[in-house]
């Protein structure tokens, strides 16, 4: 069967909405349009019942109770609410907080803001695999440490952090443990109780739900966590997040969680096989390929660096395979990814890096096409470099 082009291999950036998710959302736009906060009529009751169902679906996926879910607009907001909300509410405990250097910008930038406001921040480094050292974390905790934010899995290299060890340390020292689990939710098993998590950020569009919908898990027992809100308003969601609920987005997130939960084991092993086929296909045909990130990794993605090729040309030659680069193209100047820098990838290699992330629609044929493409592009670039005109 011929491969349909372009091939999408950027599932860590976003995923398509699952048609089953879309079907569940659809009635809540035009027919069941009620405000979930309207308690005096059936329009409101219908919307509220749908939100309650979604609450159970999300809770089941992460092992929480339904009433510990706060709806947000996505992981950026969930991270901001977790970090600023906890710091403002528990400031009296101390103004020292801990995170690590390969977090998503939606964690790094709130920490930087707090730092410039006079908070003391410990930035833990990572090893060559992208993992923090839990002993170093334990040593960094002081009497005035309020919170630790460590992501479950990295979005660029897929490295998973030792969550259970971190949770145990935080619990024993009475420190709030926040995790950005955006890339892990629905991909690997998560249980907030066994991992000792107090706050967990997630986003619908990374797991086949709609964009602009997310959730923050907020522990409400042993200990109960309260967050100072980011904005004031109608006092929705226990006063932690005002604003009329995005019922369609919430219903979509719930359905996406249920589907992910049901298919997780099978889909993860299917994707791990595809990912290994991709890595093997490329590394057996090309010299000088480095796999970035290691140890326990997400099953569906890989980040590869190619020696002796120019990063910009490499990416633009991958025209019909949608992948992501190892560089931040947010500015006109190409900068290598700070994540790759943090795990010790040299400058030139970091610029010549590609992140492949697979998902529900990925096939063996697509993987083989991508392998063929990369191998051809890299070989051609190296030949041209070897004998210049
Ligand atoms: C995508 C992503 C975010 C941002 O999520 P949005 O819902 O797009 O705001 C945050 N953290 C990680 C790890 C991500 O992958």
């Amino acid at each position: 069967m011929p491969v349909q082009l372009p091939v999408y291999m950027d599932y860590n950036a976003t995923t398509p909405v699952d048609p089953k998710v879309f079907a569940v959302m659809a009635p809540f736009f035009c027919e069941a349009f009620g405000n979930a906060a309207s308690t005096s009529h059936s329009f409101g009751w219908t919307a509220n019942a749908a939100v309650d169902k979604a609450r159970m679906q999300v809770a089941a996926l992460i092992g929480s109770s339904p009433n510990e879910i706060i709806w947000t607009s996505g992981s950026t907001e969930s991270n901001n609410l977790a970090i600023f909300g906890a710091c403002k509410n528990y400031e009296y405990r101390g103004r020292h907080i801990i995170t690590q250097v390969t977090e998503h910008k939606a964690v790094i930038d709130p920490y930087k803001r707090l730092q410039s406001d006079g908070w003391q921040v410990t930035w833990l480094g990572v090893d060559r695999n992208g993992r923090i050292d839990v002993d170093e974390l334990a040593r960094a905790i002081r009497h005035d440490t309020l919170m630790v934010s460590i992501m479950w899995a990295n979005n660029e290299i897929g490295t998973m952090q030792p969550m259970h060890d971190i949770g145990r340390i935080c619990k024993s020292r009475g420190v709030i443990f926040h995790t950005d689990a955006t890339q892990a939710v629905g991909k690997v098993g998560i249980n907030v109780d066994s991992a000792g998590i107090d706050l967990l950020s997630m986003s619908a569009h990374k797991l086949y739900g709609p964009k602009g919908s997310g959730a923050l898990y907020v522990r409400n027992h042993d200990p109960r966590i309260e967050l100072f809100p980011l904005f004031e308003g109608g006092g929705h969601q226990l006063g932690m997040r005002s604003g009329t609920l995005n019922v369609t987005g919430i219903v979509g997130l719930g359905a996406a969680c249920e589907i992910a939960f049901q298919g997780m084991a099978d889909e993860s092993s299917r994707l791990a096989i595809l990912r290994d086929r991709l890595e093997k296909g490329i590394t057996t045909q090309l010299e000088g390929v480095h796999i970035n990130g290691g140890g326990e990794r997400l099953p569906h993605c890989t980040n590869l660096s190619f020696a002796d090729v120019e990063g910009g040309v490499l990416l633009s030659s991958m025209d019909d395979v949608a992948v992501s680069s190892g560089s931040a193209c947010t500015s006109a100047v190409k900068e290598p990814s700070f994540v790759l820098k943090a795990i010790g990838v040299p400058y030139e290699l970091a610029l010549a890096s590609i992140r492949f992330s697979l998902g529900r629609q990925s096939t063996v044929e697509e993987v083989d096409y991508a392998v063929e493409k990369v191998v051809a592009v890299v070989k051609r670039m190296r030949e041209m470099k070897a004998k210049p005109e």
Side-chain angles (χ1 to χ4, degrees):
M1 203 173 57
V3 172
Q4 257 210 332
L5 299 179
V7 169
Y8 189 72
M9 289 201 175
D10 206 10
Y11 284 82
N12 281 14
T14 195
T15 60
V17 173
D18 186 310
K20 284 182 288 215
V21 169
F22 183 66
V24 175
M25 292 170 68
F28 293 93
F29 284 98
C30 303
E31 301 144 46
F33 60 85
N35 186 327
S38 300
T39 51
S40 56
H41 50 69
S42 66
F43 295 88
W45 304 334
T46 303
N48 191 50
V51 169
D52 278 346
K53 180 174 179 195
R55 211 179 272 297
M56 310 230 281
Q57 291 166 316
V58 174
L61 184 60
I62 62 169
S64 75
S65 22
N67 57 5
E68 295 176 301
I69 304 299
I70 298 285
W71 307 111
T72 67
S73 62
S75 278
T76 300
E77 186 189 335
S78 294
N79 286 333
N80 275 267
L81 177 56
I83 297 163
F84 290 123
C87 284
K88 181 124 196 210
N89 209 54
Y90 297 103
E91 192 170 358
Y92 63 89
R93 292 185 186 171
R95 284 164 56 97
H96 175 238
I97 49 183
I98 301 173
T99 187
Q100 57 94 25
V101 294
T102 66
E103 289 292 312
H104 191 274
K105 290 286 183 198
V107 168
I108 290 184
D109 288 356
Y111 268 74
K112 278 192 181 156
R113 168 94 71 87
L114 287 164
Q115 194 167 27
S116 68
D117 287 347
W119 288 66
Q120 293 193 5
V121 177
T122 297
W123 300 91
L124 299 172
V126 291
D127 63 17
R128 299 193 77 83
N129 287 334
R131 274 197 156 208
I132 65 159
D133 176 348
V134 288
D135 295 329
E136 193 185 337
L137 168 67
R139 284 195 300 274
I141 295 176
R142 321 187 310 208
H143 67 281
D144 61 344
T145 305
L146 196 166
M147 178 166 67
V148 169
S149 291
I150 304 286
M151 71 198 324
W152 197 298
N154 185 269
N155 45 301
E156 286 189 41
I157 55 178
T159 300
M160 294 200 270
Q161 298 290 352
M163 301 308 287
H164 294 77
D165 295 338
I166 300 167
R168 206 171 326 108
I169 291 166
C170 289
K171 187 124 273 188
S172 73
R173 307 287 291 273
V175 176
I176 297 170
F177 180 20
H178 162 237
T179 186
D180 176 351
T182 312
Q183 293 290 348
V185 170
K187 316 292 164 65
V188 295
I190 288 183
N191 184 292
V192 289
D193 282 337
S194 70
I197 288 159
D198 298 310
L199 298 163
L200 178 145
S201 307
M202 60 188 286
S203 182
H205 78 96
K206 302 283 175 79
L207 78 152
Y208 309 93
K211 292 165 185 64
S213 171
L216 178 66
Y217 157 78
V218 183
R219 177 170 291 283
N220 74 357
H221 58 95
D222 322 307
R224 178 190 182 85
I225 307 290
E226 277 170 15
L227 302 174
F228 197 90
L230 290 178
F231 34 83
E232 301 297 335
H236 306 75
Q237 309 205 65
L238 312 170
M240 288 193 250
R241 207 278 193 173
S242 281
T244 300
L245 293 184
N246 169 12
V247 177
T248 51
I250 290 165
V251 164
L253 174 54
C257 285
E258 184 172 325
I259 293 169
F261 191 40
Q262 287 164 351
M264 192 155 59
D266 289 347
E267 180 65 355
S268 287
S269 31
R270 186 185 80 89
L271 291 177
I273 290 167
L274 287 185
R275 192 267 312 272
D276 293 347
R277 184 183 179 99
L278 180 81
E279 281 181 351
K280 202 154 169 238
I282 294 171
T283 53
T284 52
Q285 295 181 71
L286 288 176
E287 306 270 301
V289 182
H290 305 262
I291 299 175
N292 299 316
E296 257 190 278
R297 283 190 296 161
L298 288 173
H300 63 277
C301 59
T302 186
N303 188 309
L304 304 176
S305 292
F306 300 86
D308 304 318
V309 297
E310 211 228 295
V313 184
L314 176 64
L315 245 294
S316 57
S317 312
M318 291 294 292
D319 43 14
D320 52 14
V321 182
V323 289
S324 180
S325 70
S327 63
C329 312
T330 41
S331 58
V333 196
K334 269 222 175 274
E335 272 291 322
S337 134
F338 69 93
V339 172
L340 297 183
K341 219 194 262 182
I343 62 169
V345 181
Y347 182 88
E348 288 296 332
L349 259 188
L351 280 179
S353 303
I354 298 179
R355 176 186 73 184
F356 299 87
S357 44
L358 308 173
R360 239 173 242 166
Q361 250 123 81
S362 301
T363 62
V364 175
E365 289 77 17
E366 286 184 346
V367 166
D368 292 347
Y369 182 83
V371 169
E372 224 174 275
K373 182 86 189 187
V374 181
V375 170
V377 164
V378 171
K379 278 193 173 155
R380 194 171 64 233
M381 285 174 73
R382 285 177 179 165
E383 275 162 20
M384 280 165 69
K385 198 175 168 192
K387 37 179 167 65
E389 325 289 277

